[in-house]
Coordinates of all heavy atoms in Angstrom, one line a residue:
N243 N 16.1 5.9 1.0 CA 17.2 6.0 0.0 C 18.2 7.0 0.5 O 19.4 6.8 0.3 CB 16.8 6.4 -1.4 CG 16.0 5.3 -2.0 OD1 16.2 4.1 -1.7 ND2 15.1 5.6 -2.9
R244 N 17.8 8.1 1.1 CA 18.7 9.2 1.5 C 19.3 9.0 2.9 O 20.1 9.8 3.3 CB 18.0 10.5 1.3 CG 17.8 10.9 -0.1 CD 17.1 12.2 -0.3 NE 17.7 13.3 0.4 CZ 18.3 14.3 -0.2 NH1 18.3 14.4 -1.5 NH2 18.8 15.3 0.5
L245 N 18.9 8.0 3.6 CA 19.4 7.7 4.9 C 20.8 7.1 4.9 O 21.1 6.2 4.0 CB 18.5 6.9 5.8 CG 17.1 7.4 6.0 CD1 16.3 6.4 6.9 CD2 17.1 8.8 6.6
A246 N 21.7 7.5 5.8 CA 23.0 6.9 5.9 C 22.8 5.4 6.3 O 21.8 5.1 7.0 CB 23.9 7.6 6.9
P247 N 23.7 4.5 6.0 CA 23.5 3.1 6.4 C 23.4 2.9 7.9 O 22.7 2.1 8.4 CB 24.8 2.4 5.8 CG 25.2 3.3 4.6 CD 24.8 4.7 5.0
S248 N 24.1 3.7 8.6 CA 24.1 3.6 10.1 C 22.7 4.0 10.6 O 22.2 3.4 11.6 CB 25.2 4.4 10.7 OG 25.0 5.8 10.4
D249 N 22.1 5.0 10.0 CA 20.7 5.4 10.4 C 19.7 4.4 10.0 O 18.7 4.2 10.7 CB 20.4 6.8 9.9 CG 21.3 7.9 10.5 OD1 21.8 7.7 11.6 OD2 21.5 8.9 9.8
R250 N 19.8 3.9 8.8 CA 18.9 2.9 8.3 C 18.8 1.6 9.2 O 17.8 1.0 9.4 CB 19.4 2.4 6.9 CG 18.3 2.4 5.9 CD 18.8 1.8 4.6 NE 18.9 2.8 3.6 CZ 18.9 2.7 2.4 NH1 18.8 1.4 1.9 NH2 19.1 3.7 1.5
A251 N 20.0 1.3 9.8 CA 20.0 0.1 10.6 C 19.3 0.3 11.9 O 18.8 -0.7 12.5 CB 21.5 -0.2 10.9
V252 N 19.1 1.5 12.4 CA 18.5 1.7 13.7 C 17.2 2.5 13.7 O 16.5 2.7 14.7 CB 19.4 2.4 14.7 CG1 20.7 1.6 14.9 CG2 19.8 3.8 14.2
I253 N 16.7 2.9 12.5 CA 15.5 3.8 12.4 C 14.3 3.0 13.0 O 13.4 3.6 13.7 CB 15.3 4.3 11.0 CG1 14.2 5.4 11.1 CG2 14.9 3.2 10.1 CD1 14.1 6.2 9.9
F254 N 14.1 1.7 12.7 CA 13.0 1.0 13.2 C 13.1 0.6 14.7 O 12.1 0.3 15.3 CB 12.7 -0.2 12.4 CG 12.3 0.1 11.0 CD1 13.2 -0.1 9.9 CD2 11.1 0.7 10.7 CE1 12.9 0.3 8.6 CE2 10.7 1.0 9.4 CZ 11.6 0.8 8.4
H255 N 14.2 0.7 15.2 CA 14.4 0.5 16.7 C 14.3 1.7 17.5 O 13.7 1.8 18.6 CB 15.8 -0.2 16.9 CG 16.0 -0.5 18.3 ND1 16.7 0.3 19.2 CD2 15.7 -1.6 19.0 CE1 16.7 -0.3 20.4 NE2 16.1 -1.5 20.3
D256 N 14.9 2.8 17.0 CA 14.9 4.1 17.7 C 13.8 5.1 17.5 O 13.5 5.9 18.3 CB 16.3 4.8 17.5 CG 17.5 4.1 18.0 OD1 17.3 3.1 18.8 OD2 18.6 4.4 17.7
M257 N 13.2 5.0 16.3 CA 12.2 6.1 16.0 C 10.9 5.5 15.5 O 9.8 5.9 16.1 CB 12.7 7.0 14.8 CG 13.9 7.9 15.3 SD 14.3 9.0 13.9 CE 13.1 10.3 14.2
I258 N 10.8 4.8 14.4 CA 9.5 4.4 13.9 C 9.1 3.0 14.5 O 9.4 2.0 14.0 CB 9.6 4.3 12.4 CG1 10.0 5.6 11.8 CG2 8.3 3.9 11.8 CD1 10.2 5.7 10.3
R259 N 8.5 3.1 15.6 CA 8.0 2.0 16.4 C 6.6 2.3 16.8 O 6.2 3.5 17.1 CB 8.8 1.7 17.6 CG 10.2 1.1 17.2 CD 11.0 0.8 18.4 NE 10.4 -0.3 19.2 CZ 11.0 -0.9 20.2 NH1 12.1 -0.4 20.7 NH2 10.4 -1.9 20.9
K260 N 5.8 1.3 16.9 CA 4.4 1.5 17.3 C 4.3 2.1 18.7 O 5.1 1.8 19.6 CB 3.7 0.1 17.4 CG 2.2 0.2 17.7 CD 1.5 -1.1 17.6 CE 0.1 -0.9 17.9 NZ -0.7 -2.2 17.9
S261 N 3.5 3.1 18.8 CA 3.2 3.9 20.0 C 4.3 5.0 20.4 O 4.2 5.7 21.3 CB 3.0 3.0 21.3 OG 1.8 2.3 21.0
F262 N 5.4 5.0 19.6 CA 6.4 6.1 19.8 C 5.7 7.4 19.3 O 5.0 7.4 18.3 CB 7.6 5.9 19.0 CG 8.7 5.0 19.8 CD1 8.3 4.1 20.7 CD2 10.0 5.2 19.5 CE1 9.2 3.3 21.3 CE2 10.9 4.4 20.2 CZ 10.5 3.5 21.1
R263 N 6.0 8.5 20.0 CA 5.4 9.8 19.6 C 6.4 10.5 18.7 O 7.6 10.7 19.1 CB 5.1 10.6 20.8 CG 4.4 12.0 20.5 CD 3.9 12.6 21.7 NE 2.7 12.0 22.2 CZ 1.5 12.1 21.7 NH1 1.3 12.8 20.6 NH2 0.4 11.5 22.2
L264 N 6.0 11.0 17.5 CA 6.9 11.7 16.6 C 6.2 13.0 16.2 O 5.0 13.1 16.2 CB 7.1 10.8 15.3 CG 7.7 9.5 15.4 CD1 7.8 8.8 14.0 CD2 9.1 9.6 16.0
R265 N 7.1 13.9 15.8 CA 6.7 15.2 15.2 C 7.3 15.2 13.8 O 8.5 15.1 13.6 CB 7.2 16.4 15.9 CG 6.7 17.7 15.4 CD 7.2 18.9 16.2 NE 7.2 18.7 17.6 CZ 8.2 18.7 18.4 NH1 9.4 19.0 17.9 NH2 8.1 18.5 19.7
I266 N 6.4 15.3 12.8 CA 6.9 15.2 11.4 C 6.4 16.4 10.6 O 5.3 16.9 10.7 CB 6.3 13.9 10.7 CG1 6.8 12.7 11.5 CG2 6.7 13.8 9.3 CD1 6.3 11.4 10.9
A267 N 7.3 16.9 9.7 CA 7.0 17.9 8.7 C 7.2 17.3 7.4 O 8.2 16.5 7.2 CB 7.9 19.1 8.9
G268 N 6.3 17.6 6.4 CA 6.4 17.0 5.1 C 5.7 17.7 4.1 O 4.9 18.7 4.4
Y269 N 5.8 17.3 2.8 CA 5.1 17.9 1.7 C 3.9 17.1 1.4 O 3.9 15.9 1.2 CB 6.0 17.8 0.5 CG 7.3 18.7 0.6 CD1 8.5 18.1 0.6 CD2 7.2 20.1 0.7 CE1 9.7 18.8 0.7 CE2 8.3 20.8 0.8 CZ 9.6 20.2 0.9 OH 10.7 21.0 1.0
A270 N 2.8 17.9 1.2 CA 1.5 17.3 0.8 C 1.1 17.8 -0.6 O 0.6 18.9 -0.7 CB 0.4 17.7 1.8
C271 N 1.5 17.1 -1.6 CA 1.2 17.6 -3.0 C -0.2 17.3 -3.4 O -0.8 18.1 -4.1 CB 2.2 16.9 -3.9 SG 3.9 17.3 -3.7
E272 N -0.9 16.2 -2.9 CA -2.2 15.9 -3.2 C -3.0 15.9 -1.9 O -2.5 15.4 -0.9 CB -2.4 14.6 -4.0 CG -1.6 14.6 -5.3 CD -2.3 15.5 -6.3 OE1 -3.5 15.6 -6.3 OE2 -1.5 16.1 -7.1
P273 N -4.3 16.3 -1.9 CA -5.0 16.3 -0.6 C -5.2 15.0 0.1 O -5.0 15.0 1.3 CB -6.4 16.8 -1.1 CG -6.2 17.4 -2.4 CD -5.0 16.8 -3.0
D274 N -5.4 13.9 -0.5 CA -5.7 12.6 0.1 C -4.5 11.7 0.0 O -4.6 10.5 0.4 CB -6.9 12.0 -0.4 CG -8.2 12.8 -0.1 OD1 -8.2 13.5 0.9 OD2 -9.1 12.7 -0.9
E275 N -3.4 12.2 -0.4 CA -2.2 11.4 -0.6 C -1.3 11.4 0.7 O -1.4 12.3 1.5 CB -1.4 12.0 -1.8 CG -0.2 11.2 -2.2 CD 0.5 11.8 -3.4 OE1 0.0 11.7 -4.5 OE2 1.5 12.5 -3.2

């Protein structure tokens, strides 16, 4: 929802693809969530 339309169009091509290596930071509100 918060991604710009131009980023939404390419995110699955440029970043979130099988075997691509990512570094992610995020919020863990529940232990197994």
Side-chain angles (χ1 to χ4, degrees):
N243 291 333
R244 290 178 55 113
L245 299 183
S248 59
D249 295 334
R250 224 185 256 203
V252 297
I253 192 165
F254 294 107
H255 182 266
D256 292 349
M257 289 187 85
I258 302 176
R259 288 180 69 176
K260 187 176 179 181
S261 298
F262 273 30
R263 183 170 288 283
L264 299 177
R265 181 178 322 121
I266 299 181
Y269 295 114
C271 294
E272 299 294 325
D274 295 331
E275 187 177 281

